[in-house]
Structures are given as C-alpha cells and as structure tokens.
Amino acid sequence: MNLVNKLFILFLVLIGFTNELVSKPSFYIDETKIIGTSLETNVDAYLGIPFAQPPVNDLRWKKTQSKIFKQTEFFATDFAPACMQGPRIVNWYRGVAVGFGGDPNYIDLPDISEDCLYLNMWVPNNIKNIDTKLPVLVYIHGGSNRAGWSFEPNYIGEKLAQKGTIVISVAYRLGVFGFYSHPELSVSNFALLDVIESLKWIQENISKVGGDPNNVTISGESAGATSIEHLIVSPLSKNLFNRAIHQSAGWSIADSEIINDDVHSKLSNQLTIELLNRSNFENNLNDMRKIDAIKLLKKAEEVFGTTGYYSVIDGYTITESVRKSFELGNINHVDLIIGSNKDEELMYLEKDYFLIDFYNERESYGFYTDIDNLNSIVMNIKNEKQKLNYLLTARNYTCPSFFIASSIKKYTKKNVWFYSFDKVRDGKKSKEMGAYHGAELPYIFNTHDNWLPTSQEDMKLTNLIQSFWLNFIKKGNPNSENSKWTSFKSENFNVLSFNEETLMKKSNSARVCKALNYL
C-alpha cells in the first residue's frame, strides 16, 4: 500500500472518529462536560448522572449533599448501580412473568451499592424550534420503599421522550438506608430528601438540555406514588414541580393510624441494639455508620420483616401526618392525575385470609366499618377471593386516592383528573391476573415485555394513555380536542375507565369508601 492510500485511510479514520465525537450529545455542569448517547429514535440518553454525593461512610443517614464534579468529562452512557436492596422487586417481576406464562429468568438484580444517587434522562433531539422549552416528567419508581431501581424494564423513558417531553427517572435510598429513625438524628426521611435533591438538580440544570424548569411533572407508581403524597405536603419541595401523577397508592394514608412513627423508631432502635450488642445510644450512630452495608441490609430485613418503610414526622421534611396535611389543606398546590387499577390486590391475596379476617382486622384497630352495608355491596360477587380483591383495592388504593383528590379540589384552585385502569389483556392467564398492580406501566412507557400478550387494542390504548399523559405534562390538562376526560368532582366520584372502550363512569368503589367511613 503506497503512502497516498495510507494517508487516505488515516484521513477516513480521523473523520469517522471526529464525527463520532461530534455526534455525542453533551452539556456542562460547571466545568464538567456531561457526555451522553444519541439514539436512533431522535432521543439523547444520559444515563447514570450523579445528582448527589454518595451517601456512604460519614454521609450515611445525613441530609443529601449536592454533587460536586471534579473531572473535566463525565460519560453518562451506562446505568449506575441500584440502591441497597434484597430480591423483592426481582421476585415481583418474575412472579408476573410466570403469571403470564413467561420465562422468570428474564430479569436479574442489577449491581447494588450505597453509592446509588443517580438519575437517567431521555431528551428528544428533533425539536426544530430552538426557542421551544421542553416539558419535564420525573418518574419515581416503586418497590415498597425497600426495593426497585430507576431503570427497571417498565420505566425506560426513550419511547415516551420521542413524543416531545424530557423523561427523567431518579433513584433514592431504600429500606433502612432511606428510612432510619434514631435518637441522635435531627432529621430523617433520607429517601425523600434524595428525591427533593434530584428535583433541585433538575431546576438548576434542565434548561441546559432544552428543558423548562417551570414545567415539571412528578410521577410515581406504588411506593413511588407515596413519595408523590409526601412531596405534595413537604414544605421543602415547594416550587420544585407544578404537576403530579399518582398511580396505585394511598395505603400510607389508610395505614397512618396503624403503622406510625413509634413503630419505626422501635424497630430502628432494635436494629441498632442487635448490631452493636448494647442498648446505650450515646454516640453509637458513628458506630452504626461503620457497619458493612450488606450486613446492615441483612439485619434490617430480619428486624423490620414485612413492616413497611414509611417517612416519619421529623419536623423538617414532614411536619405533621400526611393525612392531617391533606385534611387541613397544608399542601403544595398542583394539578393532579390520580387513580388505581381494578385488581390491585388480586396477586397478593393469601390463601388463609378470608372476608371475616378483613372485617376483624378493621375493628381490631378501632375503625368503624359498616359490615352489613359491605356485605350487601359484595353479595353479587360469588368468589370470595374476588370479594377481598374488591374491598382491599378500595380500602388501600381507591378510597385514599379519593381523599387526596377531594382535598386538592377543596383547598386549591387546581384541577384533578381521576382514572381507573380496568384493561385485562387477552388470554386465559391474563384473566387470572386481571388489571393487576403495575399493569398500567407498560402502557404509559410503551414497554410491553415480550411475554405480555399485547394486541392491537393494547397498542391503541397505549397511544391513548400516552396522549392523555403528554397533554397533561405539556399544558396541565390531559384532554385534546377529541377527548373528554371530565375533571374530578368530590360529589359524584366520576372516573375515566381505561379499558377496551375508554369512557367516564361512576367509580365502583364509592359505596365501599362510604361504608369504610372514608368519605
């Protein structure tokens, strides 16, 4: 090969290398260049951007610290480790896959670490008008506050971002790392502080990729939606968002009289005593910070057991019970989409749990329950399992969601839109699963797994739901010229039913909520 040919090949290599560098999307945080990836879908992806200092060692169980970049370049091209957790959410995904006849081994737990406060961002890059500011959707994952991660298969934001919004998924400390009460701590609720820090990061940096810091919608499902409730009442999150989407939650309000701050404090104290082999709390927080993260995780799972992790009243992030804040109107004023699925509890029902247990459970905690009325409501449901699903779904999801919606309507000038996700996919196994907890997520993100029976009707519903969500994210109203999702009114409990035919109807749970003395 002669010198001319060698130089020509070198020129082509250099041009290709240069083009590769030029095509990499980027923005700056102070002096650090954040470099992402341009996808073939006209979306730029920035994965694993640290929004806070790693909460390890001396920063364990402290207020979330802003991230300080020291390098000149940061490649945001891979997801970061998930926060410390056990296999709970992996088992959930595998259980759903098996329920539909799929392979449960399609998902594994990713790497976990205490160094986990990262976010992922999908940005549409085909907006022609450079003056257009893009709306922002921030998604908070579920997982009972003890598991889950920001890049689960259901939450990948690429396809939603294609339609004209920036999609961001955020991480937060889980389990005992995010929800630990201790006599020496002046603040708690570290998971909530993490999410608030991510929202501050968005306010400071989103305009650098074309986003509008004045048009931020927070969204979450299950435990992620309980974070939405806490963000709506927390004084620390004021002016960090102006819209919210609350999917399939509310039990933290329903259970506020059962699982309270004292329970969490006692369990945290027990954990400390068992790990340090002493009951004297003087200066032992420093010793607790030195304990290996895996050892801490395993012992916490043992001590806390099935008790849920909840934010507590620490006088800083949360100043009173969440239920009381909504009752009194001590809330941030936001437009809201809220709703639940028809069969939230179906997959969680225990074989030895019966209708009488539901009634006794209520009365043992001192709740008034109109049992005769409830029996008349469910008398036409022949299967006891379906009766329990109906009542528990109402008690734990729909009724407290009505309570949240009614409070926002009562105390603010904002609008609320209420939905019920009722769609059951095709096939015998789908009917056994029903409109299960989390069933709406693949429709919102258009992330239908291969083992999910997905028909043309499902794809039509996907486009419809995405249209409602995007309209709400962009302009605060889910409707377009051709749709009629009537805003929520406390006196009639009308909801939009997402089903084979999407239409307004009176909620099936309204009578149950009244019988449970919830309305």
Side-chain angles (χ1 to χ4, degrees):
M1 185 181 294
N2 60 35
L3 181 61
V4 173
N5 287 338
K6 288 181 179 179
L7 290 173
F8 180 68
I9 291 173
L10 179 61
F11 171 75
L12 292 177
V13 170
L14 289 173
I15 288 294
F17 179 70
T18 303
N19 286 340
E20 184 180 348
L21 286 179
V22 170
S23 66
K24 294 286 187 182
S26 63
F27 66 96
Y28 280 88
I29 298 178
D30 297 326
E31 302 300 318
T32 300
K33 185 178 184 180
I34 310 298
I35 301 169
T37 305
S38 287
L39 307 177
E40 295 180 355
T41 50
N42 295 318
V43 171
D44 293 336
Y46 298 92
L47 309 178
I49 302 176
F51 63 84
Q53 294 291 98
V56 301
N57 302 321
D58 290 343
L59 292 183
R60 181 187 283 176
W61 300 315
K62 287 189 177 180
K63 295 178 184 178
T64 319
Q65 306 287 316
S66 300
K67 173 63 179 176
I68 300 173
F69 283 93
K70 296 181 179 179
Q71 63 266 58
T72 56
E73 290 183 333
F74 180 87
F75 286 87
T77 53
D78 296 291
F79 294 117
C83 291
M84 297 298 297
Q85 62 189 280
R88 179 186 178 92
I89 206 68
V90 172
N91 292 340
W92 182 88
Y93 273 104
R94 289 177 175 177
V96 175
V98 169
F100 282 102
D103 180 6
N105 296 315
Y106 86 104
I107 188 172
D108 289 307
L109 184 67
D111 291 338
I112 58 174
S113 173
E114 273 194 275
D115 180 3
C116 64
L117 299 185
Y118 297 78
L119 57 79
N120 312 298
M121 183 163 62
W122 291 269
V123 184
N125 61 20
N126 59 346
I127 306 300
K128 303 301 182 183
N129 186 351
I130 60 174
D131 295 324
T132 299
K133 292 183 178 180
L134 292 167
V136 183
L137 174 68
V138 183
Y139 185 78
I140 307 167
H141 71 80
S144 301
N145 285 331
R146 67 198 314 151
W149 57 92
S150 63
F151 51 97
E152 291 174 31
N154 281 340
Y155 312 150
I156 302 302
E158 177 183 352
K159 292 181 180 178
L160 190 58
Q162 274 183 287
K163 297 190 173 183
T165 183
I166 295 174
V167 179
I168 299 174
S169 63
V170 301
Y172 54 94
R173 281 173 276 184
L174 299 167
V176 71
F177 299 91
F179 302 87
Y180 179 58
S181 300
H182 189 281
E184 293 179 33
L185 288 171
S186 60
V187 301
S188 189
N189 306 332
F190 306 103
L192 190 62
L193 286 167
D194 293 341
V195 176
I196 290 171
E197 184 63 35
S198 75
L199 294 174
K200 290 179 180 177
W201 186 96
I202 290 165
Q203 287 296 310
E204 293 173 3
N205 295 292
I206 202 64
S207 61
K208 299 171 184 176
V209 293
D212 185 354
N214 296 314
N215 192 0
V216 175
T217 300
I218 58 172
S219 173
E221 186 267 348
S222 193
T226 66
S227 293
I228 301 295
E229 297 160 22
H230 288 82
L231 289 167
I232 289 176
V233 305
S234 176
L236 299 183
S237 60
K238 187 176 182 179
N239 299 325
L240 294 180
F241 59 96
N242 44 352
R243 299 184 187 113
I245 302 174
H246 180 287
Q247 300 163 222
S248 297
W251 63 84
S252 64
I253 291 176
D255 292 346
S256 62
E257 302 299 325
I258 303 172
I259 302 174
N260 54 39
D261 298 353
D262 290 338
V263 172
H264 281 276
S265 295
K266 288 177 182 177
L267 290 172
S268 295
N269 293 350
Q270 181 184 340
L271 175 68
T272 304
I273 292 168
E274 291 194 17
L275 282 170
L276 299 181
N277 296 316
R278 68 177 190 268
S279 59
N280 179 12
F281 281 98
E282 185 177 357
N283 298 323
N284 67 17
L285 191 56
N286 289 334
D287 294 330
M288 287 290 287
R289 289 191 172 112
K290 296 174 185 176
I291 292 174
D292 175 74
I294 295 294
K295 181 179 179 180
L296 177 60
L297 172 66
K298 289 181 177 178
K299 178 56 70 171
E301 292 286 289
E302 176 186 319
V303 169
F304 277 78
T306 58
T307 302
Y309 287 96
Y310 292 96
S311 294
V312 299
I313 301 170
D314 63 353
Y316 180 68
T317 55
I318 302 295
T319 57
E320 61 189 354
S321 77
V322 176
R323 180 165 189 153
K324 185 176 181 180
S325 288
F326 279 105
E327 281 179 338
L328 300 179
N330 298 329
I331 54 179
N332 296 313
H333 293 198
V334 293
D335 292 309
L336 179 70
I337 285 178
I338 190 168
S340 57
N341 298 355
K342 181 175 179 289
D343 303 303
E344 298 278 10
E345 292 283 358
L346 191 59
M347 71 167 71
Y348 302 116
L349 291 174
E350 298 177 3
K351 292 181 180 179
D352 57 352
Y353 184 81
F354 301 99
L355 200 60
I356 189 63
D357 297 310
F358 172 81
Y359 295 145
N360 290 339
E361 181 182 72
R362 293 281 299 172
E363 293 194 338
S364 67
Y365 285 110
F367 291 115
Y368 168 78
T369 302
D370 189 342
I371 294 176
D372 291 337
N373 194 1
L374 286 179
N375 277 327
S376 68
I377 292 171
V378 300
M379 66 181 298
N380 292 326
I381 303 175
K382 296 181 180 179
N383 185 303
E384 179 147 343
K385 189 175 181 181
Q386 289 292 349
K387 289 181 181 182
L388 282 167
N389 169 60
Y390 177 61
L391 293 172
L392 286 166
T393 294
R395 185 192 77 181
N396 296 335
Y397 297 87
T398 314
C399 298
S401 294
F402 277 141
F403 170 73
I404 292 169
S406 297
S407 297
I408 287 182
K409 288 293 290 186
K410 179 178 179 180
Y411 291 110
T412 79
K413 295 181 180 179
K414 300 296 184 177
N415 286 310
V416 179
W417 286 268
F418 209 112
Y419 72 87
S420 176
F421 186 86
D422 303 324
K423 178 68 168 68
V424 178
R425 293 175 186 259
D426 294 339
K428 180 180 178 181
K429 286 185 175 294
S430 299
K431 288 180 172 59
E432 293 174 0
M433 297 292 290
Y436 59 93
H437 186 61
E440 83 286 5
L441 287 167
Y443 294 84
I444 292 168
F445 289 95
N446 192 7
T447 49
H448 301 275
D449 295 286
N450 291 334
W451 41 264
L452 279 172
T454 305
S455 66
Q456 286 299 113
E457 290 298 318
D458 291 310
M459 292 312 301
K460 284 174 60 178
L461 185 57
T462 298
N463 290 327
L464 178 63
I465 290 178
Q466 284 192 330
S467 175
F468 280 127
W469 257 236
L470 288 161
N471 284 334
F472 180 76
I473 292 164
K474 291 175 182 179
K475 58 188 179 70
N477 187 326
N479 289 293
S480 61
E481 292 181 1
N482 299 320
S483 60
K484 293 182 179 179
W485 186 352
T486 306
S487 62
F488 176 77
K489 291 180 174 60
S490 301
E491 61 272 14
N492 59 22
F493 302 102
N494 282 350
V495 303
L496 182 68
S497 170
F498 288 120
N499 210 333
E500 293 178 4
E501 183 181 5
T502 296
L503 44 75
M504 295 298 300
K505 69 173 188 179
K506 185 167 184 177
S507 171
N508 296 332
S509 300
R511 288 179 64 196
V512 178
C513 299
K514 290 177 181 177
L516 294 176
N517 202 32
Y518 221 104
L519 299 176

